[in-house]
Amino acid sequence: MSKETLRNAYKDKQVGDRFEFGNYPQGANDEVMPITWRILHHDSDGYLVVAEQGLDCRPYNEQRCSITWAECTLRHWLNNEFFNKAFSPEEQSLIKTANISNNAGPSTDDHIFLLSFDEVESFFADDKDREAKPTAYAIKNNACTDTVGNAWWWLRSRGGISSYAADVYCFGKYYSCYVSEYVVSVRPAFLAI
């Protein structure tokens, strides 16, 4: 599929609209399906989008230690394994390498990233708007849910102490937990050009 055809999926969309782009396992039996993305912001740099659901469940960092987004294993996984598994080369060419500022540690250049606390504060209306469900695949991989099926999901921001990372709790409130916690969902984000 051509770049222009792929770009048509989102180029005339507005903030709050959803579109499909890329593919990733989402079913309980690892069925690969199109990924639904939500547009959070649009300007001359491109479209900031986040996955509508928690697509997988992984720790922020494999070991419990003091760590920043720049060094964590989840960043490495998102920009390598996930990026190459979820997107064709044509789709990858529409994902901008974004310079990401972080509340702890250096800025990073990422194709795929997690939202920061400040971005979530800016681009989501309220607690209800921050609620998200995980895919069946994420649940199979240990994603924790509440009684109505909402998940925790990671942010890239540091938590209250250096071995914690921030996340959004099931009911849309902010929380933080050990970076090695293995029940938090991953909602990737990227900047589409």
Side-chain angles (χ1 to χ4, degrees):
M1 196 176 293
S2 74
K3 282 176 65 172
E4 195 53 40
T5 301
L6 289 166
R7 194 170 184 276
N8 284 338
Y10 59 85
K11 76 173 186 176
D12 294 322
K13 302 277 188 189
Q14 304 300 316
V15 170
D17 287 346
R18 275 76 169 165
F19 67 97
E20 292 181 345
F21 188 83
N23 296 279
Y24 195 71
Q26 294 178 60
N29 295 312
D30 301 353
E31 298 92 341
V32 175
M33 302 175 199
I35 304 168
T36 300
W37 302 91
R38 174 181 168 180
I39 298 174
L40 297 177
H41 181 70
H42 177 219
D43 62 19
S44 59
D45 285 338
Y47 296 80
L48 175 63
V49 303
V50 68
E52 183 74 359
Q53 295 182 281
L55 296 180
D56 211 327
C57 181
R58 304 184 69 84
Y60 186 89
N61 196 64
E62 294 292 334
Q63 294 184 325
R64 183 185 297 183
C65 60
S66 176
I67 196 94
T68 66
W69 169 250
E71 305 155 329
C72 76
T73 58
L74 185 52
R75 175 178 176 250
H76 184 268
W77 178 81
L78 283 168
N79 282 281
N80 293 282
E81 186 178 334
F82 176 81
F83 182 66
N84 289 312
K85 185 174 186 174
F87 305 108
S88 69
E90 294 78 16
E91 289 166 333
Q92 290 176 5
S93 71
L94 293 170
I95 296 173
K96 183 176 182 174
T97 302
N99 183 258
I100 305 298
S101 62
N102 301 295
N103 73 333
S107 296
T108 54
D109 292 322
D110 297 318
H111 293 294
I112 310 295
F113 48 91
L114 301 178
L115 296 175
S116 69
F117 174 82
D118 290 341
E119 288 164 343
V120 172
E121 274 291 286
S122 295
F123 302 129
F124 288 80
D126 52 29
D127 293 350
K128 185 74 177 161
D129 196 30
R130 288 189 289 271
E131 292 178 358
K133 306 237 184 272
T135 63
Y137 178 78
I139 292 170
K140 176 183 162 184
N141 289 335
N142 296 318
C144 182
T145 59
D146 65 8
T147 56
V148 296
N150 291 332
W152 296 355
W153 50 282
W154 288 117
L155 302 178
R156 72 175 183 270
S157 301
R158 179 172 275 175
I161 60 175
S162 64
S163 59
Y164 277 47
D167 61 75
V168 174
Y169 197 59
C170 300
F171 44 86
K173 298 280 189 193
Y174 298 109
Y175 197 69
S176 66
C177 55
Y178 283 118
V179 294
S180 57
E181 185 61 63
Y182 62 90
V183 297
V184 183
S185 294
V186 180
R187 285 183 79 181
F190 66 89
L191 194 59
I193 56 174

